[in-house]
Amino acid sequence: MKTSFYSYSLPELRALFEAQGLSATGAAKLYHWRYKHRAPASGNELSKATQSYLQENMSFELPEIDRVQEAGDRTVKFLFRLADGKKVETVLIPSNRKYGICLSSQVGCAMKCSFCHTGLQGLSRNLETHEIVGQLLGAQRWLSEQRPGKDRIATVVFMGQGEPLHNFDSVRRACEIFLSQHGLSFASDKVTISTAGYLPGLVRWKAEMPGVNIALSLHAVEMKKRDELIPINARFPLDEVLAQIDQIPRNRKRFVIYEYLLAKGFNDSVEDAEALGEKLKGKKAFVNLIPFNPYPGAKYERPTEEEARAFKAVLDEHGIPTLIRFTKGTDILAACGQLNSKPPTG
Ligand code: SAH
C-alpha cells in the first residue's frame, strides 16, 4: 500500500529516503516543491531512482471536497471526504484580506461536552497526519482557484471536530509540518491547539510538542458547572490542568489562551466572572469569551451582547486582556461547536 507524502515531517522523510538508499537531499527538494510551490518536483530535480520509488510507494492525494458552503461574511465551510468514506469539516475564517483555518483532528469526538454539536456524534476515529495537513492544502487549493490574490491562510487553529490532544501523535506531526521552514513555514505563534483539558496530552506536551499556542476550554470555575459542561473534568480536574499548563516550558508554548463559553443564565453572571478573574490571577492570560452558538436541539442559550460585555468588564477590572469572539459563519453552521459531519436525521 502507498503511504501519503503528507504524513512525513522532513526529518522523517530524510530518514525514509536514507533507509531506501536514496539521496537525502532529494527529500528536502521534494518537500520544498510540494509545500512551497504546491507542485510535483519538476523535470530532473529528482533522481530516476527517487522518482520510481515515489511512483510505487507514495501517494500525494488530498481529501476530496464533498461540499463547500460560503457564508455572507466570506466564511467557507468544507466537508471533506476521506479515503474510507468518512467525512470531516474544515472552516476558513476571514480576517481582513487573509484567512484563519479551523482544522478537525478527529472524525467526531469522544469528550461529550454538553454544549458541543460535534460531541453528540461520538468518536468515529482519529485523523491521520496527512488528513489533517490535507484539510489545509485542500482548502488552500480551493482558495487559490476561487479567490485568487486573496488566498493567504495566515493562522491555523485546531478548533474543529475532535479533541486534538486525544490524537496527540498525528496532531504533533501536523504541527511540525506547519512550522517547518522547508514546509509551510507558519510562525509558531500562528498555530493554536485548543483542548478541553485532556491531561495526558498536556503531560506529553511538556516534552514533545513544538512551541505552538495553547488554548484551554475553561468554561466554568465552579467544579459542578464544569463537570456538566465538560465531563472529562471529573477525571482531569481544572486545577490539575492549569498546573500542568503552567509547567510547560516557554520554548514549548507561545501564548496561553483561556476560552470561556458564555451560556446564558448558567455561567455568565458577574460572580462567575469574578471567580474567573481570581482563578487566572498571576498568570499571563488572554481570555476569549465565546457566546454560545446555538444549533438545532441545543440545551443552552446565547447571552445578549450587553451581557457578554458586562462579563468582560469584570475581567477588564482584573487587568486580564479579553476578547469577545463575535461569531462568523453562523448562517452555515460553521461556528465553534456547530460542526457535525453526519447528515441531519429525522
Ligand atoms: N476539542 C477542542 C476544540 C473544540 S472547538 C476543545 O475542547 O477545546 C473550539 C472551542 O469552541 C472550544 O472552546 C469549545 O468548547 C467551543 N465550543 C464548542 N461548542 C460550542 C458552542 N456550541 N458554542 C460556542 N462555543 C463552543
Side-chain angles (χ1 to χ4, degrees), residues 114-115 219-230 260-273 292 299-303 307 311:
S114 62
F115 50 86
H219 299 355
V221 172
E222 205 182 294
M223 285 303 92
K224 262 213 185 115
K225 286 186 190 173
R226 195 164 191 269
D227 283 344
E228 175 180 327
L229 295 172
I230 306 178
Y260 194 97
L261 168 94
L262 291 171
K264 192 182 176 78
F266 183 79
N267 66 348
D268 66 339
S269 69
V270 168
E271 292 75 40
D272 290 307
F292 176 71
K299 65 178 193 183
Y300 301 96
E301 281 176 54
R302 185 181 176 89
E307 286 163 332
F311 196 97

PDB file of all heavy atoms in Angstrom, residues 114-115 219-230 260-273 292 299-303 307 311:
ATOM      1  N   SER A 114     -21.315  18.964  26.841  1.00  0.00           N
ATOM      2  CA  SER A 114     -22.776  19.029  26.751  1.00  0.00           C
ATOM      3  C   SER A 114     -23.298  20.130  25.824  1.00  0.00           C
ATOM      4  O   SER A 114     -24.458  20.132  25.455  1.00  0.00           O
ATOM      5  CB  SER A 114     -23.365  19.234  28.143  1.00  0.00           C
ATOM      6  OG  SER A 114     -22.906  20.470  28.656  1.00  0.00           O
ATOM      7  N   PHE A 115     -22.405  21.056  25.456  1.00  0.00           N
ATOM      8  CA  PHE A 115     -22.828  22.213  24.658  1.00  0.00           C
ATOM      9  C   PHE A 115     -22.377  22.091  23.213  1.00  0.00           C
ATOM     10  O   PHE A 115     -22.605  22.979  22.406  1.00  0.00           O
ATOM     11  CB  PHE A 115     -22.197  23.485  25.256  1.00  0.00           C
ATOM     12  CG  PHE A 115     -20.719  23.309  25.478  1.00  0.00           C
ATOM     13  CD1 PHE A 115     -19.836  23.568  24.447  1.00  0.00           C
ATOM     14  CD2 PHE A 115     -20.219  22.830  26.682  1.00  0.00           C
ATOM     15  CE1 PHE A 115     -18.480  23.360  24.606  1.00  0.00           C
ATOM     16  CE2 PHE A 115     -18.859  22.620  26.860  1.00  0.00           C
ATOM     17  CZ  PHE A 115     -17.995  22.885  25.816  1.00  0.00           C
ATOM     18  N   HIS A 219     -14.265  27.502  30.554  1.00  0.00           N
ATOM     19  CA  HIS A 219     -15.742  27.485  30.554  1.00  0.00           C
ATOM     20  C   HIS A 219     -16.474  27.594  31.891  1.00  0.00           C
ATOM     21  O   HIS A 219     -17.607  28.065  31.919  1.00  0.00           O
ATOM     22  CB  HIS A 219     -16.284  26.265  29.802  1.00  0.00           C
ATOM     23  CG  HIS A 219     -15.897  26.201  28.349  1.00  0.00           C
ATOM     24  ND1 HIS A 219     -15.203  27.205  27.704  1.00  0.00           N
ATOM     25  CD2 HIS A 219     -16.114  25.252  27.412  1.00  0.00           C
ATOM     26  CE1 HIS A 219     -15.004  26.863  26.445  1.00  0.00           C
ATOM     27  NE2 HIS A 219     -15.546  25.689  26.238  1.00  0.00           N
ATOM     28  N   ALA A 220     -15.883  27.130  32.983  1.00  0.00           N
ATOM     29  CA  ALA A 220     -16.512  27.352  34.295  1.00  0.00           C
ATOM     30  C   ALA A 220     -15.459  27.123  35.365  1.00  0.00           C
ATOM     31  O   ALA A 220     -14.600  26.250  35.218  1.00  0.00           O
ATOM     32  CB  ALA A 220     -17.686  26.396  34.513  1.00  0.00           C
ATOM     33  N   VAL A 221     -15.522  27.918  36.425  1.00  0.00           N
ATOM     34  CA  VAL A 221     -14.556  27.771  37.516  1.00  0.00           C
ATOM     35  C   VAL A 221     -15.137  26.829  38.572  1.00  0.00           C
ATOM     36  O   VAL A 221     -14.430  26.010  39.155  1.00  0.00           O
ATOM     37  CB  VAL A 221     -14.218  29.151  38.121  1.00  0.00           C
ATOM     38  CG1 VAL A 221     -13.374  29.015  39.382  1.00  0.00           C
ATOM     39  CG2 VAL A 221     -13.484  29.998  37.072  1.00  0.00           C
ATOM     40  N   GLU A 222     -16.437  26.946  38.784  1.00  0.00           N
ATOM     41  CA  GLU A 222     -17.088  26.085  39.772  1.00  0.00           C
ATOM     42  C   GLU A 222     -17.130  24.649  39.235  1.00  0.00           C
ATOM     43  O   GLU A 222     -17.578  24.418  38.103  1.00  0.00           O
ATOM     44  CB  GLU A 222     -18.515  26.591  39.968  1.00  0.00           C
ATOM     45  CG  GLU A 222     -19.122  26.243  41.301  1.00  0.00           C
ATOM     46  CD  GLU A 222     -20.553  26.770  41.351  1.00  0.00           C
ATOM     47  OE1 GLU A 222     -20.736  28.010  41.341  1.00  0.00           O
ATOM     48  OE2 GLU A 222     -21.463  25.922  41.338  1.00  0.00           O
ATOM     49  N   MET A 223     -16.649  23.706  40.067  1.00  0.00           N
ATOM     50  CA  MET A 223     -16.461  22.339  39.558  1.00  0.00           C
ATOM     51  C   MET A 223     -17.748  21.672  39.084  1.00  0.00           C
ATOM     52  O   MET A 223     -17.756  20.961  38.087  1.00  0.00           O
ATOM     53  CB  MET A 223     -15.746  21.456  40.587  1.00  0.00           C
ATOM     54  CG  MET A 223     -14.266  21.748  40.691  1.00  0.00           C
ATOM     55  SD  MET A 223     -13.353  21.573  39.108  1.00  0.00           S
ATOM     56  CE  MET A 223     -13.428  23.221  38.447  1.00  0.00           C
ATOM     57  N   LYS A 224     -18.835  21.899  39.820  1.00  0.00           N
ATOM     58  CA  LYS A 224     -20.105  21.269  39.401  1.00  0.00           C
ATOM     59  C   LYS A 224     -20.506  21.713  38.005  1.00  0.00           C
ATOM     60  O   LYS A 224     -20.940  20.919  37.173  1.00  0.00           O
ATOM     61  CB  LYS A 224     -21.211  21.682  40.380  1.00  0.00           C
ATOM     62  CG  LYS A 224     -21.500  20.680  41.448  1.00  0.00           C
ATOM     63  CD  LYS A 224     -23.000  20.751  41.783  1.00  0.00           C
ATOM     64  CE  LYS A 224     -23.348  19.859  42.945  1.00  0.00           C
ATOM     65  NZ  LYS A 224     -23.807  20.626  44.127  1.00  0.00           N
ATOM     66  N   LYS A 225     -20.346  22.997  37.773  1.00  0.00           N
ATOM     67  CA  LYS A 225     -20.722  23.525  36.453  1.00  0.00           C
ATOM     68  C   LYS A 225     -19.776  23.006  35.382  1.00  0.00           C
ATOM     69  O   LYS A 225     -20.199  22.641  34.283  1.00  0.00           O
ATOM     70  CB  LYS A 225     -20.672  25.053  36.450  1.00  0.00           C
ATOM     71  CG  LYS A 225     -21.817  25.709  37.190  1.00  0.00           C
ATOM     72  CD  LYS A 225     -21.771  27.210  37.010  1.00  0.00           C
ATOM     73  CE  LYS A 225     -22.756  27.892  37.938  1.00  0.00           C
ATOM     74  NZ  LYS A 225     -22.632  29.355  37.901  1.00  0.00           N
ATOM     75  N   ARG A 226     -18.481  22.954  35.713  1.00  0.00           N
ATOM     76  CA  ARG A 226     -17.528  22.483  34.689  1.00  0.00           C
ATOM     77  C   ARG A 226     -17.735  20.999  34.392  1.00  0.00           C
ATOM     78  O   ARG A 226     -17.623  20.573  33.249  1.00  0.00           O
ATOM     79  CB  ARG A 226     -16.083  22.781  35.082  1.00  0.00           C
ATOM     80  CG  ARG A 226     -15.122  22.638  33.899  1.00  0.00           C
ATOM     81  CD  ARG A 226     -13.774  23.280  34.111  1.00  0.00           C
ATOM     82  NE  ARG A 226     -13.013  23.327  32.862  1.00  0.00           N
ATOM     83  CZ  ARG A 226     -12.177  22.370  32.458  1.00  0.00           C
ATOM     84  NH1 ARG A 226     -11.950  21.324  33.209  1.00  0.00           N
ATOM     85  NH2 ARG A 226     -11.551  22.483  31.295  1.00  0.00           N
ATOM     86  N   ASP A 227     -18.065  20.235  35.448  1.00  0.00           N
ATOM     87  CA  ASP A 227     -18.376  18.810  35.238  1.00  0.00           C
ATOM     88  C   ASP A 227     -19.533  18.640  34.259  1.00  0.00           C
ATOM     89  O   ASP A 227     -19.526  17.738  33.423  1.00  0.00           O
ATOM     90  CB  ASP A 227     -18.804  18.138  36.557  1.00  0.00           C
ATOM     91  CG  ASP A 227     -17.620  17.829  37.453  1.00  0.00           C
ATOM     92  OD1 ASP A 227     -16.475  17.847  36.967  1.00  0.00           O
ATOM     93  OD2 ASP A 227     -17.847  17.580  38.651  1.00  0.00           O
ATOM     94  N   GLU A 228     -20.521  19.514  34.390  1.00  0.00           N
ATOM     95  CA  GLU A 228     -21.676  19.382  33.498  1.00  0.00           C
ATOM     96  C   GLU A 228     -21.303  19.731  32.053  1.00  0.00           C
ATOM     97  O   GLU A 228     -21.699  19.045  31.113  1.00  0.00           O
ATOM     98  CB  GLU A 228     -22.836  20.286  33.964  1.00  0.00           C
ATOM     99  CG  GLU A 228     -23.988  20.221  32.959  1.00  0.00           C
ATOM    100  CD  GLU A 228     -25.208  21.071  33.309  1.00  0.00           C
ATOM    101  OE1 GLU A 228     -25.515  21.244  34.516  1.00  0.00           O
ATOM    102  OE2 GLU A 228     -25.848  21.565  32.363  1.00  0.00           O
ATOM    103  N   LEU A 229     -20.503  20.791  31.917  1.00  0.00           N
ATOM    104  CA  LEU A 229     -20.164  21.236  30.563  1.00  0.00           C
ATOM    105  C   LEU A 229     -19.151  20.304  29.892  1.00  0.00           C
ATOM    106  O   LEU A 229     -19.284  19.959  28.719  1.00  0.00           O
ATOM    107  CB  LEU A 229     -19.593  22.655  30.596  1.00  0.00           C
ATOM    108  CG  LEU A 229     -20.543  23.767  31.053  1.00  0.00           C
ATOM    109  CD1 LEU A 229     -19.771  25.073  31.220  1.00  0.00           C
ATOM    110  CD2 LEU A 229     -21.682  23.953  30.048  1.00  0.00           C
ATOM    111  N   ILE A 230     -18.128  19.938  30.681  1.00  0.00           N
ATOM    112  CA  ILE A 230     -17.004  19.160  30.120  1.00  0.00           C
ATOM    113  C   ILE A 230     -16.812  17.927  31.000  1.00  0.00           C
ATOM    114  O   ILE A 230     -16.081  17.967  31.993  1.00  0.00           O
ATOM    115  CB  ILE A 230     -15.705  20.017  30.110  1.00  0.00           C
ATOM    116  CG1 ILE A 230     -15.944  21.337  29.377  1.00  0.00           C
ATOM    117  CG2 ILE A 230     -14.533  19.249  29.498  1.00  0.00           C
ATOM    118  CD1 ILE A 230     -14.751  22.277  29.339  1.00  0.00           C
ATOM    119  N   TYR A 260     -13.609  30.843  27.219  1.00  0.00           N
ATOM    120  CA  TYR A 260     -14.714  30.756  28.173  1.00  0.00           C
ATOM    121  C   TYR A 260     -16.022  30.889  27.400  1.00  0.00           C
ATOM    122  O   TYR A 260     -16.336  31.933  26.835  1.00  0.00           O
ATOM    123  CB  TYR A 260     -14.585  31.846  29.229  1.00  0.00           C
ATOM    124  CG  TYR A 260     -15.482  31.647  30.438  1.00  0.00           C
ATOM    125  CD1 TYR A 260     -15.006  31.054  31.601  1.00  0.00           C
ATOM    126  CD2 TYR A 260     -16.823  32.050  30.403  1.00  0.00           C
ATOM    127  CE1 TYR A 260     -15.831  30.859  32.711  1.00  0.00           C
ATOM    128  CE2 TYR A 260     -17.657  31.862  31.501  1.00  0.00           C
ATOM    129  CZ  TYR A 260     -17.148  31.269  32.649  1.00  0.00           C
ATOM    130  OH  TYR A 260     -17.966  31.083  33.741  1.00  0.00           O
ATOM    131  N   LEU A 261     -16.754  29.773  27.352  1.00  0.00           N
ATOM    132  CA  LEU A 261     -18.061  29.743  26.704  1.00  0.00           C
ATOM    133  C   LEU A 261     -19.054  30.471  27.600  1.00  0.00           C
ATOM    134  O   LEU A 261     -19.066  30.251  28.812  1.00  0.00           O
ATOM    135  CB  LEU A 261     -18.476  28.273  26.568  1.00  0.00           C
ATOM    136  CG  LEU A 261     -19.917  27.998  26.190  1.00  0.00           C
ATOM    137  CD1 LEU A 261     -20.014  27.843  24.688  1.00  0.00           C
ATOM    138  CD2 LEU A 261     -20.417  26.740  26.865  1.00  0.00           C
ATOM    139  N   LEU A 262     -19.844  31.350  27.020  1.00  0.00           N
ATOM    140  CA  LEU A 262     -20.875  32.038  27.817  1.00  0.00           C
ATOM    141  C   LEU A 262     -22.239  31.448  27.496  1.00  0.00           C
ATOM    142  O   LEU A 262     -22.736  31.593  26.377  1.00  0.00           O
ATOM    143  CB  LEU A 262     -20.881  33.533  27.490  1.00  0.00           C
ATOM    144  CG  LEU A 262     -19.673  34.349  27.944  1.00  0.00           C
ATOM    145  CD1 LEU A 262     -19.732  35.750  27.357  1.00  0.00           C
ATOM    146  CD2 LEU A 262     -19.592  34.413  29.471  1.00  0.00           C
ATOM    147  N   ALA A 263     -22.807  30.745  28.484  1.00  0.00           N
ATOM    148  CA  ALA A 263     -24.152  30.185  28.308  1.00  0.00           C
ATOM    149  C   ALA A 263     -25.084  30.967  29.223  1.00  0.00           C
ATOM    150  O   ALA A 263     -24.849  31.058  30.436  1.00  0.00           O
ATOM    151  CB  ALA A 263     -24.163  28.698  28.659  1.00  0.00           C
ATOM    152  N   LYS A 264     -26.098  31.527  28.609  1.00  0.00           N
ATOM    153  CA  LYS A 264     -26.999  32.444  29.319  1.00  0.00           C
ATOM    154  C   LYS A 264     -27.585  31.807  30.584  1.00  0.00           C
ATOM    155  O   LYS A 264     -28.119  30.697  30.547  1.00  0.00           O
ATOM    156  CB  LYS A 264     -28.126  32.828  28.365  1.00  0.00           C
ATOM    157  CG  LYS A 264     -28.989  33.980  28.827  1.00  0.00           C
ATOM    158  CD  LYS A 264     -30.097  34.193  27.795  1.00  0.00           C
ATOM    159  CE  LYS A 264     -31.072  35.268  28.211  1.00  0.00           C
ATOM    160  NZ  LYS A 264     -30.546  36.617  27.982  1.00  0.00           N
ATOM    161  N   GLY A 265     -27.444  32.540  31.696  1.00  0.00           N
ATOM    162  CA  GLY A 265     -28.053  32.086  32.957  1.00  0.00           C
ATOM    163  C   GLY A 265     -27.371  30.871  33.569  1.00  0.00           C
ATOM    164  O   GLY A 265     -27.817  30.343  34.587  1.00  0.00           O
ATOM    165  N   PHE A 266     -26.276  30.408  32.965  1.00  0.00           N
ATOM    166  CA  PHE A 266     -25.602  29.217  33.508  1.00  0.00           C
ATOM    167  C   PHE A 266     -24.235  29.555  34.093  1.00  0.00           C
ATOM    168  O   PHE A 266     -23.939  29.254  35.242  1.00  0.00           O
ATOM    169  CB  PHE A 266     -25.481  28.145  32.414  1.00  0.00           C
ATOM    170  CG  PHE A 266     -24.860  26.854  32.907  1.00  0.00           C
ATOM    171  CD1 PHE A 266     -25.627  25.933  33.624  1.00  0.00           C
ATOM    172  CD2 PHE A 266     -23.511  26.576  32.690  1.00  0.00           C
ATOM    173  CE1 PHE A 266     -25.051  24.760  34.113  1.00  0.00           C
ATOM    174  CE2 PHE A 266     -22.941  25.407  33.168  1.00  0.00           C
ATOM    175  CZ  PHE A 266     -23.712  24.502  33.884  1.00  0.00           C
ATOM    176  N   ASN A 267     -23.387  30.218  33.295  1.00  0.00           N
ATOM    177  CA  ASN A 267     -22.029  30.524  33.764  1.00  0.00           C
ATOM    178  C   ASN A 267     -21.613  31.946  33.387  1.00  0.00           C
ATOM    179  O   ASN A 267     -20.439  32.225  33.242  1.00  0.00           O
ATOM    180  CB  ASN A 267     -21.038  29.515  33.162  1.00  0.00           C
ATOM    181  CG  ASN A 267     -20.926  29.658  31.648  1.00  0.00           C
ATOM    182  OD1 ASN A 267     -21.736  30.354  31.023  1.00  0.00           O
ATOM    183  ND2 ASN A 267     -19.928  29.031  31.056  1.00  0.00           N
ATOM    184  N   ASP A 268     -22.612  32.825  33.195  1.00  0.00           N
ATOM    185  CA  ASP A 268     -22.292  34.154  32.665  1.00  0.00           C
ATOM    186  C   ASP A 268     -22.606  35.290  33.639  1.00  0.00           C
ATOM    187  O   ASP A 268     -22.728  36.432  33.239  1.00  0.00           O
ATOM    188  CB  ASP A 268     -23.036  34.376  31.333  1.00  0.00           C
ATOM    189  CG  ASP A 268     -24.552  34.440  31.493  1.00  0.00           C
ATOM    190  OD1 ASP A 268     -25.059  33.925  32.516  1.00  0.00           O
ATOM    191  OD2 ASP A 268     -25.215  35.002  30.605  1.00  0.00           O
ATOM    192  N   SER A 269     -22.701  34.968  34.940  1.00  0.00           N
ATOM    193  CA  SER A 269     -23.021  36.025  35.900  1.00  0.00           C
ATOM    194  C   SER A 269     -21.755  36.804  36.278  1.00  0.00           C
ATOM    195  O   SER A 269     -20.633  36.373  35.989  1.00  0.00           O
ATOM    196  CB  SER A 269     -23.631  35.413  37.162  1.00  0.00           C
ATOM    197  OG  SER A 269     -22.631  34.692  37.854  1.00  0.00           O
ATOM    198  N   VAL A 270     -21.960  37.931  36.933  1.00  0.00           N
ATOM    199  CA  VAL A 270     -20.834  38.729  37.421  1.00  0.00           C
ATOM    200  C   VAL A 270     -20.009  37.911  38.420  1.00  0.00           C
ATOM    201  O   VAL A 270     -18.777  37.978  38.428  1.00  0.00           O
ATOM    202  CB  VAL A 270     -21.367  40.035  38.059  1.00  0.00           C
ATOM    203  CG1 VAL A 270     -20.272  40.758  38.836  1.00  0.00           C
ATOM    204  CG2 VAL A 270     -21.925  40.946  36.968  1.00  0.00           C
ATOM    205  N   GLU A 271     -20.671  37.068  39.227  1.00  0.00           N
ATOM    206  CA  GLU A 271     -19.940  36.222  40.189  1.00  0.00           C
ATOM    207  C   GLU A 271     -19.044  35.228  39.442  1.00  0.00           C
ATOM    208  O   GLU A 271     -17.912  34.970  39.857  1.00  0.00           O
ATOM    209  CB  GLU A 271     -20.898  35.428  41.100  1.00  0.00           C
ATOM    210  CG  GLU A 271     -21.716  36.269  42.085  1.00  0.00           C
ATOM    211  CD  GLU A 271     -22.864  37.018  41.408  1.00  0.00           C
ATOM    212  OE1 GLU A 271     -23.508  36.434  40.517  1.00  0.00           O
ATOM    213  OE2 GLU A 271     -23.095  38.201  41.756  1.00  0.00           O
ATOM    214  N   ASP A 272     -19.580  34.662  38.370  1.00  0.00           N
ATOM    215  CA  ASP A 272     -18.762  33.741  37.573  1.00  0.00           C
ATOM    216  C   ASP A 272     -17.526  34.458  37.025  1.00  0.00           C
ATOM    217  O   ASP A 272     -16.420  33.901  37.003  1.00  0.00           O
ATOM    218  CB  ASP A 272     -19.572  33.164  36.391  1.00  0.00           C
ATOM    219  CG  ASP A 272     -20.665  32.200  36.838  1.00  0.00           C
ATOM    220  OD1 ASP A 272     -20.357  31.247  37.569  1.00  0.00           O
ATOM    221  OD2 ASP A 272     -21.838  32.411  36.449  1.00  0.00           O
ATOM    222  N   ALA A 273     -17.730  35.689  36.586  1.00  0.00           N
ATOM    223  CA  ALA A 273     -16.616  36.463  36.025  1.00  0.00           C
ATOM    224  C   ALA A 273     -15.576  36.769  37.102  1.00  0.00           C
ATOM    225  O   ALA A 273     -14.363  36.672  36.863  1.00  0.00           O
ATOM    226  CB  ALA A 273     -17.142  37.755  35.405  1.00  0.00           C
ATOM    227  N   PHE A 292     -22.341  31.377  23.461  1.00  0.00           N
ATOM    228  CA  PHE A 292     -22.812  30.077  22.984  1.00  0.00           C
ATOM    229  C   PHE A 292     -23.410  30.188  21.580  1.00  0.00           C
ATOM    230  O   PHE A 292     -24.222  31.060  21.301  1.00  0.00           O
ATOM    231  CB  PHE A 292     -23.860  29.518  23.948  1.00  0.00           C
ATOM    232  CG  PHE A 292     -24.459  28.231  23.469  1.00  0.00           C
ATOM    233  CD1 PHE A 292     -23.721  27.067  23.468  1.00  0.00           C
ATOM    234  CD2 PHE A 292     -25.762  28.190  22.994  1.00  0.00           C
ATOM    235  CE1 PHE A 292     -24.259  25.880  23.006  1.00  0.00           C
ATOM    236  CE2 PHE A 292     -26.316  27.007  22.530  1.00  0.00           C
ATOM    237  CZ  PHE A 292     -25.561  25.845  22.531  1.00  0.00           C
ATOM    238  N   LYS A 299     -29.198  22.711  24.286  1.00  0.00           N
ATOM    239  CA  LYS A 299     -29.875  22.966  25.555  1.00  0.00           C
ATOM    240  C   LYS A 299     -29.417  24.238  26.269  1.00  0.00           C
ATOM    241  O   LYS A 299     -29.821  24.477  27.402  1.00  0.00           O
ATOM    242  CB  LYS A 299     -29.785  21.746  26.459  1.00  0.00           C
ATOM    243  CG  LYS A 299     -28.405  21.369  26.929  1.00  0.00           C
ATOM    244  CD  LYS A 299     -28.561  20.148  27.860  1.00  0.00           C
ATOM    245  CE  LYS A 299     -27.294  19.888  28.642  1.00  0.00           C
ATOM    246  NZ  LYS A 299     -27.356  18.721  29.485  1.00  0.00           N
ATOM    247  N   TYR A 300     -28.546  25.017  25.648  1.00  0.00           N
ATOM    248  CA  TYR A 300     -28.146  26.288  26.253  1.00  0.00           C
ATOM    249  C   TYR A 300     -28.578  27.431  25.348  1.00  0.00           C
ATOM    250  O   TYR A 300     -28.942  27.220  24.200  1.00  0.00           O
ATOM    251  CB  TYR A 300     -26.630  26.326  26.468  1.00  0.00           C
ATOM    252  CG  TYR A 300     -26.141  25.213  27.362  1.00  0.00           C
ATOM    253  CD1 TYR A 300     -25.634  24.039  26.819  1.00  0.00           C
ATOM    254  CD2 TYR A 300     -26.228  25.324  28.751  1.00  0.00           C
ATOM    255  CE1 TYR A 300     -25.205  22.998  27.636  1.00  0.00           C
ATOM    256  CE2 TYR A 300     -25.802  24.284  29.577  1.00  0.00           C
ATOM    257  CZ  TYR A 300     -25.295  23.129  29.006  1.00  0.00           C
ATOM    258  OH  TYR A 300     -24.881  22.103  29.818  1.00  0.00           O
ATOM    259  N   GLU A 301     -28.494  28.639  25.915  1.00  0.00           N
ATOM    260  CA  GLU A 301     -28.851  29.811  25.115  1.00  0.00           C
ATOM    261  C   GLU A 301     -27.696  30.790  25.048  1.00  0.00           C
ATOM    262  O   GLU A 301     -26.830  30.818  25.912  1.00  0.00           O
ATOM    263  CB  GLU A 301     -30.048  30.524  25.754  1.00  0.00           C
ATOM    264  CG  GLU A 301     -31.378  29.873  25.461  1.00  0.00           C
ATOM    265  CD  GLU A 301     -32.474  30.599  26.228  1.00  0.00           C
ATOM    266  OE1 GLU A 301     -32.599  31.837  26.095  1.00  0.00           O
ATOM    267  OE2 GLU A 301     -33.184  29.917  26.991  1.00  0.00           O
ATOM    268  N   ARG A 302     -27.771  31.629  24.050  1.00  0.00           N
ATOM    269  CA  ARG A 302     -26.717  32.615  23.846  1.00  0.00           C
ATOM    270  C   ARG A 302     -27.056  33.885  24.626  1.00  0.00           C
ATOM    271  O   ARG A 302     -28.175  34.389  24.530  1.00  0.00           O
ATOM    272  CB  ARG A 302     -26.667  32.926  22.351  1.00  0.00           C
ATOM    273  CG  ARG A 302     -25.571  33.832  21.882  1.00  0.00           C
ATOM    274  CD  ARG A 302     -25.735  34.028  20.369  1.00  0.00           C
ATOM    275  NE  ARG A 302     -24.765  34.963  19.852  1.00  0.00           N
ATOM    276  CZ  ARG A 302     -23.559  34.609  19.428  1.00  0.00           C
ATOM    277  NH1 ARG A 302     -23.179  33.364  19.474  1.00  0.00           N
ATOM    278  NH2 ARG A 302     -22.732  35.526  18.966  1.00  0.00           N
ATOM    279  N   PRO A 303     -26.090  34.416  25.406  1.00  0.00           N
ATOM    280  CA  PRO A 303     -26.380  35.680  26.099  1.00  0.00           C
ATOM    281  C   PRO A 303     -26.425  36.846  25.108  1.00  0.00           C
ATOM    282  O   PRO A 303     -25.934  36.717  23.986  1.00  0.00           O
ATOM    283  CB  PRO A 303     -25.193  35.838  27.058  1.00  0.00           C
ATOM    284  CG  PRO A 303     -24.108  35.006  26.496  1.00  0.00           C
ATOM    285  CD  PRO A 303     -24.741  33.916  25.678  1.00  0.00           C
ATOM    286  N   GLU A 307     -24.843  41.456  27.897  1.00  0.00           N
ATOM    287  CA  GLU A 307     -24.454  40.516  28.955  1.00  0.00           C
ATOM    288  C   GLU A 307     -23.001  40.073  28.783  1.00  0.00           C
ATOM    289  O   GLU A 307     -22.243  39.988  29.752  1.00  0.00           O
ATOM    290  CB  GLU A 307     -25.411  39.302  28.952  1.00  0.00           C
ATOM    291  CG  GLU A 307     -26.779  39.643  29.526  1.00  0.00           C
ATOM    292  CD  GLU A 307     -27.883  38.626  29.187  1.00  0.00           C
ATOM    293  OE1 GLU A 307     -27.805  37.964  28.129  1.00  0.00           O
ATOM    294  OE2 GLU A 307     -28.820  38.514  29.980  1.00  0.00           O
ATOM    295  N   PHE A 311     -19.726  40.829  31.397  1.00  0.00           N
ATOM    296  CA  PHE A 311     -18.783  39.794  31.851  1.00  0.00           C
ATOM    297  C   PHE A 311     -17.349  40.256  31.584  1.00  0.00           C
ATOM    298  O   PHE A 311     -16.465  40.189  32.439  1.00  0.00           O
ATOM    299  CB  PHE A 311     -19.081  38.486  31.125  1.00  0.00           C
ATOM    300  CG  PHE A 311     -18.457  37.264  31.737  1.00  0.00           C
ATOM    301  CD1 PHE A 311     -19.182  36.442  32.600  1.00  0.00           C
ATOM    302  CD2 PHE A 311     -17.134  36.918  31.443  1.00  0.00           C
ATOM    303  CE1 PHE A 311     -18.603  35.303  33.166  1.00  0.00           C
ATOM    304  CE2 PHE A 311     -16.548  35.783  32.001  1.00  0.00           C
ATOM    305  CZ  PHE A 311     -17.289  34.978  32.860  1.00  0.00           C
TER     306      PHE A 311
END
